[in-house]
Amino acid sequence: MKNKFSPGVALLAILLASCSVKRESVSKYVDPNIGTAHSRWFFYTPAAVPYGMAKLAPSTNGHYGNASGWEAVGYDTRQNSIEGFVHFHEWQVGGVSYMPTTGTLKVKPGDLEGTNTGYRSKFDRKNQVAEPGYYKVLLDDYNITAELTATKRVGFQRYTFPKNELSHIILDIGNKQGESGEVTNASIKMLDETHFEGYVSTYPKYVKLYDPEGKVDMFFYGEISKKPATVFSFAGDSVNENSTSATGKGAGLVLNYQTTDNETIEVKTGLSYTSIANAKNNFTTESTGLSFDQAKAQAQQTWEQQLGKITVEGTDEQNKTKFYTGLFHALLGRGIASDVNGAYPKHGGQTGQLPAQTDKNLKAEFINTDAIWGGFWNITQLWSLSYPEWYGSFVNTQLQLYKDKGWFGDGIANSEYVSGVGTNFVGLAVAGAYNVGIRNYDVNLAYEAVKGNEFNYKNRAVGSGKMDTKAFIDHGYVPFIDQTGRDFVTDSTGSNFSGSHTLEYSYSAFAAAQMAKAMGKTDDYDKLIKYSNGWREIFNPQNKLMQPKRANGSFIEKFDPYQPWRGFQEGNAVQYTFYVPQNPAGLIDAIGKDNFNKRLDSIFTVSEKLGFGGGKTIDAFAGINSIYNHGNQPNLHISWLFNFSGKPWLTQKWTRLIGQEFYGTEPIHGYGYGQDEDQGQLGSWYVMNALGLFDVKGFTDLRPIIELGSPLFDKATIVLGNQKTLTIETKNNSKDNVYIQSAEFNGTPLDNCWLYRDELMKGGKLIFTMGNQPNTAWGTKTPPPSAQ
């Protein structure tokens, strides 16, 4: 009998065959080890899901904390011993550390350089695996393999022990971790043979500074896969062998076992910032019946799906590694603080309840977040492109905070104000969300809060920043105040950071003005747009630089434009002179177009020799004396300003080189050297830059635009936040072919170096033809709008 094979069957077979071809994994390009020298507490947390509360990671030095409250602590690639595996990693939030050991019991982590002084263990990085959603390492001193993974709110740890009569799992609860500050109270107790619960309360330095009545609580509920033979408790050095509970500073438990060779013991821990009951509920909801391997597979599938919203194609593996590691950090940086039932931590240890969700497609969580200072040049643009739910969560979080406390908080930890910069860009970020159409919140309340952030100063909470708002309103700029033995001097009369504050408040006033205009609030618009020109008050026409002024209107004397901190926070006058994102055309006109282009181009020419930062100095502030510092927020937009000054090919050149030179694929050279990667900002910048998409104004225009740069990859396919698809293709692209020769969008030639964002978000195909020499005619006819 002959087989009958119809054309329809043949077509079906082809379709089935094509469906069976697996798409290339994008997660494999993520290397969490990149940039792990002098990295921040929340930076290295591979065993987590995107925006998870449970962020598990090894710690090499976490119990040391840091005196300044923000500097590098946690995991450092230059250190070769591990002291524990910690569950909570957020800005100013850290705690709940576990450590498996064997042999003589020790209940303190010990000294970094002397592993025999405590329970820490040496390890070799050749025996370490770090992937999105998973971490594994061999602890050399104990021959124990430790593995970590997580759901959103549950941490999973699995230990593979050798044969040993004295095996232990140390639950170290009552000691500081990372940026958390000193523990003020702690408790842990066994509930039965395999379950335990507890909490830890901390008083981080930035809570102490900016919200002194506040605190940070962390709660947990855990389950062990095997009943321990005995349980000890400890507090400090004191061990009680007949106790299954411990309270107070330094509290912890030791679970003791006799293990066979290659025996595995798992620990699952539900987390919460509100209560033990909610930690248990989170545990039950997310992990009931879920094994370690299942949790790992689920976490890695989630990462693959989220990272895969943007797929890039090309032959350069290193560029893909930079791209997806940057995207990984962007999706890892901030973390949810609300429970599965909508409970969230309010000020001073209270518990609040999130309102009923009005938009199922943009379900809003309450999140912990570092300052959004500079985030409008990276993270909010990435959120807007493909992850609008997280932009919506940021806005909803801030509006909940506004309802609870009366003010936005630029950085928050469990509703406590922890902004380290003393300013507040939340209103600008909210206006940007409104202007791009993310509105899953009460827009009238949002405008009230945005306007209040610009104008209100009576009884303003210190932690909400902008304590010099009155001075800005009265003068149209912030008057300079000399430092008197303090780093931060800001009050109703002015600030020692008056130059940067004037520029920042001018920019945020512009953003609020655009939101006012969109909502038909003409009087507010007129008032706000006037303040958006505050930068003109401190622009010195003689030296063409931003120069702080005193209250009497005179420029400060003995002015050194390269001197950081005098008038400019985390920067200097050379860097901050280009900080007029709301009106590039006005700045270009004030400096003079030729002078502007020559100066900015020469800045990048010189800065390239230092890797566009502080060279190879390992320190977060290594580039603060430089004329361009990509390692910190104030400079992140200026390489795109050539689009406004008639030389878009210089934006193409320098943005491509910054991505090539500043960003690395090494543990030490990751985001510069000794980076200050504020919860995914520098990673987000690389992603947007590599796509060739950016907006100097951070989407604060009434009708936002997208500027076009030098796309890095042969092809990028982006699932947009509205579920449409945008494809960016390049022809003749290479390392040397960085210049756009021509472009088209959906078959229509593009003569400008920008598009309206709403057009781009319709999706379609954007095609660039590249070359190794500038096409000085392309993109110059009509500059991006800079109207006031």
Side-chain angles (χ1 to χ4, degrees):
M1 181 178 176
K2 292 183 179 180
N3 288 324
K4 293 182 179 180
F5 201 64
S6 70
V9 174
L11 178 60
L12 179 61
I14 293 170
L15 288 171
L16 288 172
S18 66
C19 289
S20 67
V21 176
K22 293 183 71 175
R23 191 194 71 184
E24 179 189 40
S25 168
V26 294
S27 298
K28 72 178 185 180
Y29 292 110
V30 175
D31 184 355
N33 298 302
I34 289 174
T36 48
H38 196 82
S39 62
R40 299 278 291 279
W41 170 243
F42 42 66
F43 182 80
Y44 187 77
T45 52
V49 295
Y51 293 94
M53 178 187 295
K55 291 182 177 177
L56 277 65
S59 173
T60 63
N61 62 8
H63 89 277
Y64 283 88
N66 58 66
S68 62
W70 70 270
E71 289 181 349
V73 66
Y75 180 93
D76 194 313
T77 190
R78 297 166 296 176
Q79 298 166 353
N80 298 303
S81 67
I82 287 173
E83 63 177 34
F85 303 98
V86 186
H87 289 74
F88 288 100
H89 285 83
E90 296 291 352
W91 166 233
Q92 298 295 294
V93 181
V96 186
S97 178
Y98 300 167
M99 184 66 175
T101 68
T102 59
T104 303
L105 178 64
K106 299 171 184 175
V107 293
K108 282 197 168 183
D111 299 331
L112 186 61
E113 301 302 327
T115 56
N116 61 345
T117 64
Y119 59 65
R120 69 168 59 242
S121 171
K122 294 186 178 71
F123 74 108
D124 191 322
R125 284 181 172 79
K126 73 180 181 182
N127 297 319
Q128 174 181 258
V129 176
E131 301 169 347
Y134 177 67
Y135 178 83
K136 177 181 179 181
V137 70
L138 175 65
L139 300 172
D140 290 342
D141 289 0
Y142 307 119
N143 195 29
I144 295 173
T145 297
E147 299 172 273
L148 317 174
T149 192
T151 63
K152 283 184 179 180
R153 301 172 180 85
V154 181
F156 290 68
Q157 301 200 27
R158 178 166 66 188
Y159 313 125
T160 302
F161 285 90
K163 182 177 181 180
N164 201 293
E165 298 292 311
L166 296 173
S167 293
H168 319 285
I169 298 175
I170 300 169
L171 309 179
D172 193 341
I173 307 305
N175 291 301
K176 66 183 174 185
Q177 292 292 337
E179 299 167 349
S180 69
E182 294 296 330
V183 170
T184 57
N185 199 7
S187 175
I188 182 170
K189 65 180 179 180
M190 298 298 298
L191 298 171
D192 54 36
E193 293 178 336
T194 58
H195 295 89
F196 59 91
E197 68 180 24
Y199 67 87
V200 55
S201 298
T202 63
Y203 195 40
K205 181 166 184 177
Y206 277 71
V207 172
K208 184 177 182 180
L209 286 171
Y210 296 111
D211 220 345
E213 298 301 315
K215 62 176 181 174
V216 172
D217 292 330
M218 292 159 273
F219 301 90
F220 57 92
Y221 172 89
E223 179 182 80
I224 319 151
S225 65
K226 180 184 179 182
K227 169 191 171 183
T230 58
V231 179
F232 299 166
S233 68
F234 65 90
D237 290 320
S238 177
V239 177
N240 189 336
E241 297 185 4
N242 297 302
S243 172
T244 58
S245 66
T247 58
K249 190 173 180 178
L253 293 182
V254 182
L255 313 179
N256 301 303
Y257 296 91
Q258 295 175 355
T259 53
T260 58
D261 193 34
N262 289 323
E263 181 176 357
T264 60
I265 300 176
E266 298 183 15
V267 189
K268 292 196 289 189
T269 310
L271 308 176
S272 173
Y273 292 117
T274 61
S275 69
I276 291 174
N278 279 334
K280 183 177 181 179
N281 188 39
N282 292 340
F283 175 93
T284 302
T285 304
E286 293 188 1
S287 73
T288 298
L290 200 65
S291 69
F292 183 95
D293 287 330
Q294 290 171 327
K296 175 190 172 186
Q298 182 177 289
Q300 297 203 309
Q301 183 181 23
T302 300
W303 274 112
E304 190 66 29
Q305 188 271 332
Q306 291 294 304
L307 293 167
K309 287 186 177 183
I310 308 177
T311 57
V312 296
E313 300 174 30
T315 58
D316 193 315
E317 300 286 290
Q318 196 172 62
N319 286 341
K320 289 181 182 178
T321 296
K322 290 181 184 180
F323 184 89
Y324 283 110
T325 302
L327 185 54
F328 167 73
H329 283 130
L331 299 179
L332 183 69
R334 289 150 176 81
I336 58 175
S338 45
D339 299 314
V340 292
N341 61 8
Y344 73 93
K346 287 178 71 172
H347 173 67
Q350 302 175 75
T351 298
Q353 186 68 34
L354 294 178
Q357 300 292 318
T358 57
D359 189 336
K360 292 181 180 179
N361 295 319
L362 291 176
K363 182 177 184 285
E365 301 278 8
F366 193 90
I367 62 174
N368 281 328
T369 172
D370 194 0
I372 205 70
W373 199 58
F376 29 80
W377 291 320
N378 37 70
I379 190 72
T380 66
Q381 297 195 32
L382 179 63
W383 283 341
S384 300
L385 187 72
S386 293
Y387 305 93
E389 66 274 22
W390 293 112
Y391 205 166
S393 285
F394 176 83
V395 174
N396 275 279
T397 295
Q398 291 290 345
L399 289 177
Q400 188 64 55
L401 200 69
Y402 175 76
K403 286 189 285 186
D404 291 344
K405 302 178 74 171
W407 304 93
F408 286 144
D410 207 24
I412 58 170
N414 289 11
S415 291
E416 313 298 2
Y417 295 126
V418 289
S419 173
V421 291
T423 182
N424 191 319
F425 273 112
V426 172
L428 184 149
V430 172
Y434 182 88
N435 289 343
V436 299
I438 296 172
R439 300 177 184 176
N440 60 329
Y441 47 85
D442 182 337
V443 295
N444 292 312
L445 178 72
Y447 178 72
E448 173 191 304
V450 168
K451 179 182 174 182
N453 203 42
E454 300 306 310
F455 288 145
N456 295 349
Y457 52 81
K458 290 183 179 179
N459 302 315
R460 188 167 188 129
V462 172
S464 70
K466 297 183 70 161
M467 298 306 291
D468 46 0
T469 297
K470 183 179 187 301
F472 181 68
I473 297 300
D474 289 347
H475 295 270
Y477 66 94
V478 177
F480 178 78
I481 297 177
D482 288 297
Q483 289 174 253
T484 54
R486 292 181 292 157
D487 292 331
F488 295 80
V489 185
T490 299
D491 58 31
S492 62
T493 65
S495 173
N496 66 309
F497 296 144
S498 62
S500 54
H501 284 191
T502 296
L503 299 170
E504 291 167 345
Y505 302 169
S506 299
Y507 179 25
S508 60
F510 171 85
Q514 303 312 303
M515 188 175 182
K517 193 172 188 179
M519 297 180 74
K521 301 179 185 298
T522 306
D523 290 344
D524 285 351
Y525 169 81
D526 291 340
K527 187 176 181 181
L528 285 159
I529 207 68
K530 181 185 73 171
Y531 284 108
S532 78
N533 284 296
W535 65 273
R536 296 184 185 276
E537 297 292 331
I538 65 166
F539 181 79
N540 188 335
Q542 301 302 313
N543 56 26
K544 308 289 187 183
L545 292 166
M546 298 297 173
Q547 186 169 340
K549 275 184 178 178
R550 298 190 181 277
N552 63 10
S554 64
F555 289 111
I556 62 170
E557 64 291 335
K558 298 179 181 179
F559 174 61
D560 177 1
Y562 298 96
Q563 180 184 358
W565 299 109
R566 188 176 184 234
F568 300 95
Q569 187 162 11
E570 299 186 21
N572 57 43
V574 175
Q575 295 171 3
Y576 268 101
T577 288
F578 296 96
Y579 201 116
V580 190
Q582 74 275 19
N583 190 1
L587 179 66
I588 292 163
D589 182 63
I591 294 176
K593 183 181 284 189
D594 288 344
N595 188 16
F596 179 93
N597 283 322
K598 287 176 183 176
R599 187 196 295 185
L600 192 55
D601 190 36
S602 66
I603 281 173
F604 286 111
T605 300
V606 172
S607 298
E608 184 182 7
K609 298 171 185 175
L610 289 173
F612 300 104
K616 295 184 178 181
T617 302
I618 300 176
D619 186 88
F621 285 137
I624 200 166
N625 294 293
S626 304
I627 52 178
Y628 175 79
N629 181 18
H630 195 79
N632 212 348
Q633 286 80 353
N635 280 172
L636 294 179
H637 67 296
I638 74 173
S639 55
W640 290 82
L641 290 175
F642 295 107
N643 281 339
F644 292 85
S645 62
K647 294 195 175 185
W649 61 91
L650 289 178
T651 282
Q652 297 154 32
K653 171 185 176 180
W654 291 119
T655 55
R656 181 73 80 95
L657 282 171
I658 291 168
Q660 180 179 307
E661 301 297 330
F662 179 82
Y663 293 86
T665 56
E666 305 296 327
I668 292 179
H669 179 200
Y671 299 89
Y673 290 80
Q675 41 66 37
D676 186 16
E677 164 62 314
D678 282 348
Q679 291 187 285
Q681 287 199 28
L682 292 175
S684 300
W685 190 96
Y686 185 91
V687 170
M688 297 303 297
N689 186 63
L691 296 173
L693 306 175
F694 193 81
D695 180 30
V696 161
K697 298 188 184 184
F699 299 149
T700 58
D701 269 323
L702 183 64
R703 187 184 181 190
I705 66 166
I706 284 280
E707 295 156 55
L708 305 175
S710 179
L712 182 62
F713 296 100
D714 296 340
K715 184 179 180 181
T717 304
I718 306 164
V719 178
L720 300 172
N722 56 17
Q723 300 308 306
K724 296 179 180 178
T725 300
L726 173 68
T727 302
I728 302 173
E729 294 183 8
T730 56
K731 299 178 179 178
N732 306 324
N733 200 3
S734 70
K735 184 177 180 180
D736 297 321
N737 291 2
V738 305
Y739 298 105
I740 298 172
Q741 306 301 301
S742 62
E744 63 177 63
F745 183 48
N746 290 335
T748 301
L750 277 179
D751 296 322
N752 295 329
C753 59
W754 60 278
L755 282 166
Y756 283 112
R757 182 186 178 277
D758 53 15
E759 294 176 350
L760 190 79
M761 294 298 287
K762 293 176 182 176
K765 186 175 289 188
L766 190 56
I767 301 175
F768 296 89
T769 300
M770 311 299 290
N772 62 7
Q773 295 297 318
N775 177 357
T776 58
W778 184 83
T780 59
K781 185 177 179 181
T782 305
S786 190
Q788 296 294 291

